[in-house]
Amino acid sequence: MASTFYLEMVSPQDIFFSGNARQVILPGVDGAYGVLPNHEPMVTAIMAGIVRYQDEAGNWQEAVASDGCVEVMPERVIVLAATLERPEDIDRNRALAAKQRAEERLRQKQSQYEYYQTQAALARALARLKAKPIK
């Protein structure tokens, strides 16, 4: 039985990670869920949050992802998200300002579309603030 699988994490801007991994933990709609080698095939949505993965060497890495989707196959996992960021690349002051703007917009009367856009912006900001840079 294989101890790793091929993991690819992709956004429209770039390929965030491409290589073998031992496991990945994804922020799902119903909570976080993990994927190990030889996982049952599935396609599902992911929510804005922290994606944790263990690389081939056994080191844990983190990525801050926006909403997206994931395809899981027994030998590979492909994560597609609008944005994928390294925790050390996040400007915490900017993320805090984005959170405050989104919270203020939620207090205002909005169309349904604007409400969903604001909810997504707030989720992205909270995910960025939750990330801890690896030192």
Side-chain angles (χ1 to χ4, degrees), residues 7-132:
L7 173 63
E8 190 168 66
M9 297 171 47
V10 181
S11 72
Q13 293 80 26
D14 66 348
I15 296 174
F16 181 86
F17 177 80
S18 178
N20 289 330
R22 293 183 182 196
Q23 59 183 308
V24 62
I25 301 171
L26 301 157
V29 177
D30 297 328
Y33 56 92
V35 176
L36 295 169
N38 299 310
H39 194 285
E40 187 72 22
M42 70 174 184
V43 174
T44 189
I46 61 169
M47 304 300 292
I50 307 297
V51 175
R52 297 186 71 224
Y53 61 96
Q54 189 177 26
D55 63 24
E56 195 170 19
N59 301 314
W60 282 98
Q61 306 293 329
E62 285 189 350
V64 179
S66 61
D67 293 346
C69 64
V70 61
E71 176 190 36
V72 176
M73 298 299 284
E75 294 88 25
R76 76 169 191 274
V77 174
I78 300 174
V79 178
L80 304 169
T83 60
L84 287 160
E85 301 172 277
R86 287 174 177 70
E88 58 270 13
D89 294 340
I90 294 172
D91 181 344
R92 297 191 66 73
N93 291 329
R94 192 168 161 220
L96 185 58
K99 174 186 173 277
Q100 292 168 343
R101 280 192 310 273
E103 289 172 338
E104 179 59 35
R105 284 195 314 257
L106 283 175
R107 290 191 276 275
Q108 300 169 0
K109 186 174 174 131
Q110 298 178 329
S111 70
Q112 190 172 11
Y113 174 76
E114 291 169 329
Y115 174 78
Y116 289 129
Q117 292 292 97
T118 303
Q119 284 286 78
L122 180 58
R124 281 191 306 274
L126 290 172
R128 286 179 176 132
L129 289 170
K130 200 182 325 180
K132 294 179 180 83

